[in-house]
Amino acid sequence: MDAEEEKQVGPDEEEEVTEATEPEPQSDNDFMAGAMLANGIVFVWMQALSVFRQFFSQLPPRFLVDVSYILYLLAGYLASRQVIRRAKRDYLKAGLKTAGYSTIMGLLILSSMNSDQTLALAIPLGVCYFAGGILGSYIETKDRLKRRGVEASS
C-alpha cells in the first residue's frame, strides 16, 4: 500500500511543479512596476544632474542631452524587458503597454514639478520609452526563439 501511495503522490507533485514554473498572466501591477522602474532610472539621472551640477557644467550640453536620451531609452528597454519576461505571448503588446504606463507616470511626475520645460521633456521621454518598449520586446522575442532553436536541436 505504501508503494501505491507514493505512485499517486508522484504525478501530483510533478503537476504542481510545472504549474508553479509557468508565468502568471500579466496584471496592471506588472505594468505599473515597469513604469516605476523606468521613471526611477530617469529621475535618479535628473537628481544626479542637479546634485553634481558643478561637475556636469564642465561637459558640453549636447553631450549631456545625448547621454540623457540614451538613458531614457535604456530605462524604457529595461522596464519593458522585465515585464515581458513574465509574458507567455504578445511581447510587443506588453512592451508597448509598459511604455504607455511609463509615459503616463512620467507625465504625472513632470506635471508636479515646477518647471517651464515639462512638455519639452515629456515628448522625448515618451518617444524613448516607446522605442525602449519596442526594443525590449524585439530582443526578448529573439532570445526566446534562439532558446527554442537550441532546445529543438538538442
Side-chain angles (χ1 to χ4, degrees):
M1 228 187 210
D2 290 331
E4 289 177 16
E5 288 177 10
E6 288 178 16
K7 288 180 184 177
Q8 291 175 355
V9 173
D12 291 338
E13 289 176 358
E14 288 178 16
E15 290 175 2
E16 290 176 10
V17 169
T18 56
E19 288 176 9
T21 57
E22 291 181 14
E24 296 177 8
Q26 293 174 320
S27 68
D28 287 338
N29 290 337
D30 295 329
F31 299 115
M32 287 300 291
M36 291 176 73
L37 175 63
N39 284 294
I41 292 169
V42 167
F43 291 106
V44 165
W45 171 247
M46 291 176 144
Q47 279 300 114
L49 286 174
S50 66
V51 169
F52 302 111
R53 183 176 306 184
Q54 198 170 26
F55 171 75
F56 286 121
S57 67
Q58 297 172 359
L59 298 173
R62 297 293 296 165
F63 175 74
L64 290 175
V65 169
D66 292 343
V67 170
S68 295
Y69 287 159
I70 291 169
L71 280 172
Y72 301 162
L73 181 69
L74 181 67
Y77 165 75
L78 290 175
S80 69
R81 188 82 191 260
Q82 290 300 318
V83 172
I84 290 168
R85 284 186 179 178
R86 292 178 48 93
K88 295 180 182 178
R89 60 182 196 274
D90 296 334
Y91 306 128
L92 182 61
K93 183 179 176 183
L96 291 175
K97 199 168 182 181
T98 304
Y101 275 70
S102 299
T103 303
I104 291 169
M105 183 179 281
L107 286 172
L108 291 173
I109 293 170
L110 286 174
S111 67
S112 68
M113 295 179 171
N114 292 332
S115 176
D116 296 335
Q117 300 178 356
T118 301
L119 185 62
L121 181 60
I123 292 171
L125 195 61
V127 169
C128 288
Y129 282 161
F130 277 98
I134 292 169
L135 181 66
S137 63
Y138 170 75
I139 291 177
E140 184 64 27
T141 302
K142 184 177 152 189
D143 288 349
R144 288 193 186 191
L145 288 173
K146 190 183 295 185
R147 281 189 296 230
R148 285 184 186 167
V150 169
E151 291 173 5
S153 64
S154 0

